[in-house]
Amino acid sequence: RIAIEFHDVYAAYQGGERPALAGVSFTINAGEHIAIVGPSGAGKSTVAALLLGFILPAAGKITVNGIDLNTLKRADWLRQVAFVPQRPHLFQGTVADNIRMVRPDASLTAVIDAAKAAGAHEFIIRLPKGYDTPVGEGGQGISGGERQRLAVARAFLQDAPLIILDEAARGLDPAAQAAMDAALARLLTGRTAIIIDHRLTTVRQADRIIVLTGGQIAESGTHAELLGQA
Ligand code: ADP
Ligand code: ADP
């Protein structure tokens, strides 16, 4: 079980005119599901980037179960985090190979089970890299929605205690969103989760919501609290 704490965290990018995060503090208890919402550019993805070690805090501290993230061995920590982006990277090989990438030792059965859990089993033998046009449109690749399911299959296979979703259902049609939400609900069960998503359905399901604007926390609380109903 993973608990996370941000202590007055600042983050900045090369050439950025203002810090992407400016003094952000919050706690995520083990097993909690936190939604992070806010306008484009608010710093939501930067929270994910810090946790994934893509960038380092300019100031402040991030702790994992009380331990400074900086002191953890990167490879060990990254095994504990499953990241589901809207547009995952693809590598040369089949969809099955692309799913297995997160756990090269996984059996074919485990890969297929993960693909099934994410609704990605029907296109497991396709070769998506280099083919932008999906099969349904006369090409050999996978669609954007299939690519998102591939990312969820990776997360199921990784079986990590912390899940970070960054707009994992964005751009899907309503039916595909519903299927994706059902798969994500199973994925998140019993795990700590950070959910970057604008949709009210996800926000309602989260235990707590953090509203970011301009790199700072504008509000946080339960859905009812934020609506003034608590
Ligand atoms: P959000 O996910 O809420 O849309 P981000 O965390 O992506 O916001 O971005 C926060 C701020 O940091 C924005 O001002 C954005 O322009 C800037 N930013 C994000 N990524 C980069 C980058 N790679 N280089 C420079 N600036 C960046
Ligand atoms: P980018 O995000 O810059 O387009 P990626 O490295 O993520 O590049 O893409 C890797 C490969 O995936 C590329 O060869 C690209 O042609 C292919 N690709 C991009 N979008 C899709 C898609 N929706 N379905 C299948 N393949 C795709």
Side-chain angles (χ1 to χ4, degrees), residues 7 9 32 37 39 74-75 127 143 163-164 167 175-176 191 207 224:
H7 306 261
V9 170
E32 233 183 342
V37 303
R74 187 180 156 82
L127 291 157
S143 69
I163 310 280
I164 301 178
E167 306 276 7
R191 299 178 160 115
D207 298 312

Side-chain angles (χ1 to χ4, degrees), residues 37-212:
V37 303
S40 181
K44 304 183 296 295
S45 295
T46 300
V47 171
L50 286 161
L51 285 168
L52 292 161
F54 296 159
I55 58 169
L56 293 171
K61 192 166 80 166
I62 301 168
T63 60
V64 175
N65 293 342
I67 298 164
D68 192 332
L69 184 57
N70 270 328
T71 67
L72 297 180
K73 231 180 111 193
R74 187 180 156 82
D76 292 341
W77 165 242
L78 289 181
R79 266 193 292 278
Q80 312 271 309
V81 191
F83 178 49
V84 183
Q86 188 200 337
R87 215 182 130 72
H89 266 287
L90 300 172
F91 296 87
Q92 222 49 259
T94 61
V95 168
D97 296 334
N98 269 278
I99 295 169
R100 183 185 263 131
M101 184 212 95
V102 294
R103 247 187 67 202
D105 63 313
S107 69
L108 182 57
T109 314
V111 172
I112 291 169
D113 286 348
K116 279 185 178 157
H121 52 294
E122 280 160 18
F123 52 95
I124 206 167
I125 59 165
R126 262 186 253 156
L127 291 157
K129 180 138 181 125
Y131 296 100
D132 283 328
T133 312
V135 160
E137 293 165 25
Q140 301 185 59
I142 59 176
S143 69
E146 287 169 337
R147 191 168 166 143
Q148 280 157 281
R149 282 181 266 158
L150 185 162
V152 176
R154 278 180 179 158
F156 271 107
L157 186 66
Q158 196 180 338
D159 196 17
L162 174 65
I163 310 280
I164 301 178
L165 308 179
D166 194 348
E167 306 276 7
R170 173 177 242 160
L172 302 179
D173 64 52
Q177 278 192 22
M180 174 65 89
D181 284 339
L184 291 176
R186 282 197 302 281
L187 176 67
L188 265 43
T189 303
R191 299 178 160 115
T192 306
I194 297 175
I195 306 154
I196 299 171
D197 198 324
H198 287 98
R199 296 168 309 137
L200 206 55
T201 44
T202 355
V203 169
R204 276 207 198 95
Q205 283 155 10
D207 298 312
R208 231 151 20 89
I209 300 149
I210 292 173
V211 184
L212 276 182

